[in-house]
Amino acid sequence: MATGKLHIDLGALVRNWQALDAQSADSVETAAVVKADGYGLGAPQVARALARAGARRFFVAAAEEGAAVRQALGPGPQICVFSGHMAGDTDMIHDLDLVPMLNSLEQLTRHLEALPGRPFGIQLDTGMNRLGMEPAEWGAVAEIALGAGPELIMSHLACADEPDHPQNQQQLDTFRAMTDGLNVPRSLAATGGILMGPDYHFDITRPGVGMYGGAPFEDASPVVNLSLPVIQIRELEPGETVGYSATYTAQEPTVIATVSGGYADGLIRAMSGRGHLFFEGAPCPIAGRVSMDLISVDITHLSSAPKALEILGPDQTVDDLANAAGTIGYEILTSLGARYARQYNGTGQHA
């Protein structure tokens, strides 16, 4: 079956990283989050492009992701692991020179016993209640942890995509109370935190979704373009239905294009009957259910038969598509499937 064409503009991604870097003072280092296979766009390609642009510190979710980034970058750049030092990760952390962000007394003990003298960071929980040491736990182990020389102390904001949410200030105050006066680099801000201003920047920022063209970075350049080939075009008479469960019924003579793509490719079923594809700027509504491999689209209003329809691009961002599906741009990006023919614009790379 023909596959969709997924164009990834690494130049735009780098410009977004540079624009987020410009939001903070020269003394603040701008790292890059490349977890979830570079938000679905290919961690090796993304990391190499950012390293060429000057990024020297990268964040991943798990040690296995760190292995892929280390293989792409070679020695030198720092690779930090949000999940910390999990049981079974010791050899990988050692051999690949990864820096675990230790989340608990258990992880701190494991790291200091298994890899004494090797780099680590500390993750604190300032109110998100997801990962990291809470104030009481940090108070109990801070002297031991600080004596071992952490590379970084970080926390994560829960509501940074809502700048006026009171929890942002609460978490900032908690982070300061837990870390002020410590001679260790600090990091609190991902994309949303960067946009909230210098109070949240500290020593290191960690842009993620904004680099990839997603909200809340409204000035981001689009990074992803996805077009889906038309497999078949058919004409419907009034009363005929389309797709599983016959949820779409033609009310008048209708032209339907069936394109190659579906929820197996990350185009989630929730956009059934709600989303659009585009042809030369003209929106074409999805007709009926999104299935595993196919999407039916109403093209009655088009003056010519398209060979492909665009689902991501200048007319529809990842956040536009996410809104149609009742989700967030992160899910759209990280769900993009392996069947697409990927092209990395401006690099000569194809996959």
Side-chain angles (χ1 to χ4, degrees), residues 23-25 28 172 176 189 193-203 205:
Q23 298 268 342
S24 58
V28 177
L172 176 61
R176 286 198 172 280
I194 294 170
L195 299 174
M196 287 196 296
D199 286 350
Y200 291 85
H201 293 171
F202 292 94
D203 302 293
T205 62

Side-chain angles (χ1 to χ4, degrees), residues 126-129 156-159 162 164-174 200:
T126 54
M128 192 172 190
N129 288 306
H156 197 68
L157 295 166
C159 303
E162 302 177 54
D164 296 329
H165 197 291
Q167 187 163 328
N168 293 317
Q169 185 65 49
Q170 292 166 10
Q171 287 194 256
L172 176 61
D173 293 343
T174 301
Y200 291 85

Side-chain angles (χ1 to χ4, degrees), residues 37-326:
D37 192 27
Y39 282 54
L41 304 186
Q45 293 87 347
V46 165
R48 283 195 292 262
L50 292 169
R52 286 194 293 269
R56 303 305 296 164
R57 192 187 310 247
F58 297 84
F59 288 84
V60 296
E64 291 80 3
E65 293 183 344
V69 176
R70 178 62 72 206
Q71 183 176 14
L73 296 180
Q78 188 177 90
I79 301 171
C80 302
V81 181
F82 285 133
S83 62
H85 191 148
M86 300 288 288
D89 285 351
T90 299
D91 288 344
M92 195 178 300
I93 290 170
H94 175 273
D95 295 345
L96 299 174
D97 193 23
L98 306 180
V99 180
M101 298 290 105
L102 305 180
N103 291 290
S104 64
L105 172 59
E106 177 187 8
Q107 289 197 352
L108 179 65
T109 303
R110 179 182 297 127
H111 189 77
L112 296 184
E113 290 181 351
L115 297 174
R118 296 304 298 264
F120 69 93
I122 296 290
Q123 185 157 196
L124 301 178
D125 177 20
T126 54
M128 192 172 190
N129 288 306
R130 191 176 65 168
L131 284 179
M133 301 184 198
E134 295 182 346
E137 184 178 14
W138 175 237
V141 305
E143 185 175 351
I144 296 171
L146 294 169
E151 302 268 317
L152 173 68
I153 297 177
M154 63 162 286
S155 189
H156 197 68
L157 295 166
C159 303
D161 56 342
E162 302 177 54
D164 296 329
H165 197 291
Q167 187 163 328
N168 293 317
Q169 185 65 49
Q170 292 166 10
Q171 287 194 256
L172 176 61
D173 293 343
T174 301
F175 188 61
R176 286 198 172 280
M178 296 173 76
T179 62
D180 275 355
L182 304 181
N183 189 27
V184 180
R186 294 183 287 178
S187 178
L188 181 61
T191 298
I194 294 170
L195 299 174
M196 287 196 296
D199 286 350
Y200 291 85
H201 293 171
F202 292 94
D203 302 293
I204 298 164
T205 62
R206 322 181 298 271
V209 71
M211 295 191 306
Y212 303 95
F217 186 29
E218 296 180 356
D219 295 332
S221 299
V223 174
V224 177
N225 181 289
L226 175 59
S227 60
L228 306 176
V230 174
I231 300 174
Q232 188 174 6
I233 295 175
R234 66 178 66 244
E235 297 181 358
L236 272 61
E237 297 297 325
E240 290 191 279
T241 63
V242 175
Y244 286 119
S245 301
T247 58
Y248 175 90
T249 302
Q251 303 300 310
E252 57 188 8
T254 302
V255 182
I256 295 291
T258 299
V259 300
S260 176
Y263 57 75
D265 305 292
L267 304 174
I268 61 177
R269 192 169 180 265
M271 66 181 68
S272 299
R274 301 171 61 186
H276 290 78
L277 282 73
F278 288 79
F279 179 67
E280 296 179 348
C284 304
I286 293 174
R289 293 271 173 85
V290 173
S291 58
M292 183 181 292
D293 312 299
L294 302 168
I295 301 174
S296 298
V297 185
D298 184 348
I299 62 166
T300 308
H301 56 297
L302 299 183
S303 58
S304 60
K307 295 183 182 299
L309 295 171
E310 190 173 82
I311 194 165
L312 290 173
D315 298 303
Q316 183 162 252
T317 69
V318 292
D319 293 295
D320 294 332
L321 188 60
N323 288 337

